[in-house]
Amino acid sequence: TSNNLSITIIELLDVLGYNPGRTDGYFSQGVSDALKRFEQDHGLTVDGVLEYSDQECMVSVLAERLSHKEYDNTLQKVLTLI
């Protein structure tokens, strides 16, 4: 499927360095694999299924990175999304 939430989540995975492959909103196997890597790294249930806890954690990780200068590249990527 492709919708705005999928596109946002896929772009977040990409910005956070999880390389989902395509970023057009299609929830491909590559996106599922990237989500599983994110889930594994952050102590979430590793199933590749987008849950609220995954979204909440992504926003938290993003906010943390944006507050540190060493992640300036992350900030620049986020600014291109808004």
Side-chain angles (χ1 to χ4, degrees), residues 43-54:
L44 300 163
T45 300
V46 180
D47 56 11
V49 176
L50 184 62
E51 302 289 343
Y52 181 76
S53 57
D54 299 326

Side-chain angles (χ1 to χ4, degrees), residues 31-42:
V31 173
S32 180
D33 291 344
L35 181 56
K36 286 178 186 176
R37 290 189 303 274
F38 177 85
E39 292 167 336
Q40 177 70 41
D41 287 351
H42 297 282

Side-chain angles (χ1 to χ4, degrees), residues 24-81:
D24 59 1
Y26 181 77
F27 207 89
S28 66
Q29 185 62 48
V31 173
S32 180
D33 291 344
L35 181 56
K36 286 178 186 176
R37 290 189 303 274
F38 177 85
E39 292 167 336
Q40 177 70 41
D41 287 351
H42 297 282
L44 300 163
T45 300
V46 180
D47 56 11
V49 176
L50 184 62
E51 302 289 343
Y52 181 76
S53 57
D54 299 326
Q55 297 172 53
E56 189 174 52
C57 187
M58 280 183 204
V59 170
S60 178
V61 169
L62 182 61
E64 176 67 23
R65 286 194 181 182
L66 293 177
S67 70
H68 291 84
K69 286 210 179 267
E70 65 266 21
Y71 291 110
D72 188 52
N73 190 36
T74 300
L75 174 60
Q76 296 308 313
K77 286 183 179 180
V78 169
L79 290 175
T80 67
L81 300 177

